[in-house]
């Protein structure tokens, strides 16, 4: 009976069992560069966060349409307040 790994290794992990120091160094460098890419790719991270928020909102809208409507009204009021504030600052006489 052999035990096989049921979970996938993350792309940023160094696989076990590498005995050659050069191959191990290459694997560590590859994992480090992938980790830097994952953390440094801000547009991708923002897109993933936005997708999660949209999914959460859709779930909320299905469970409680009144709460979803309240969130939309609150967001619209916040955006309107920010725009009003900028316009008021811009048009203020000096």
């Amino acid at each position: 009976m052999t035990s096989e790994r049921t979970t996938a290794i993350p792309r940023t992990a160094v696989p076990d069992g590498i005995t050659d120091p050069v191959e191990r160094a290459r694997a560590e460098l590859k994992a480090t560069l992938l980790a830097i890419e994952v953390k440094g790719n801000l547009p991708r991270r923002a897109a993933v966060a936005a997708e999660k928020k949209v999914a959460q909102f859709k779930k909320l809208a299905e469970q409680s349409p009144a709460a979803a409507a309240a969130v939309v009204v609150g967001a619209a009021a916040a955006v309107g307040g920010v725009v009003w504030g900028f316009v008021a600052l811009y048009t203020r006489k000096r």
Side-chain angles (χ1 to χ4, degrees), residues 60-84:
L60 175 68
E62 289 175 1
Q63 293 175 350
S64 176
V71 169
V72 169
V73 169
V79 169
V82 169
V83 170
W84 178 81

Side-chain angles (χ1 to χ4, degrees), residues 39-73:
K39 288 197 178 238
N41 192 349
L42 296 180
R44 177 66 181 141
R45 289 174 64 187
V48 169
E51 288 173 7
K52 286 181 182 179
K53 289 296 180 185
V54 167
Q56 287 175 350
F57 184 77
K58 285 181 180 180
K59 185 177 178 182
L60 175 68
E62 289 175 1
Q63 293 175 350
S64 176
V71 169
V72 169
V73 169

Side-chain angles (χ1 to χ4, degrees), residues 18-34:
I18 299 176
T19 57
D20 183 29
V22 173
E23 289 299 320
R24 179 124 183 113
R26 285 181 181 150
E28 289 175 355
L29 178 61
K30 181 180 176 182
T32 302
L33 291 174
L34 284 172

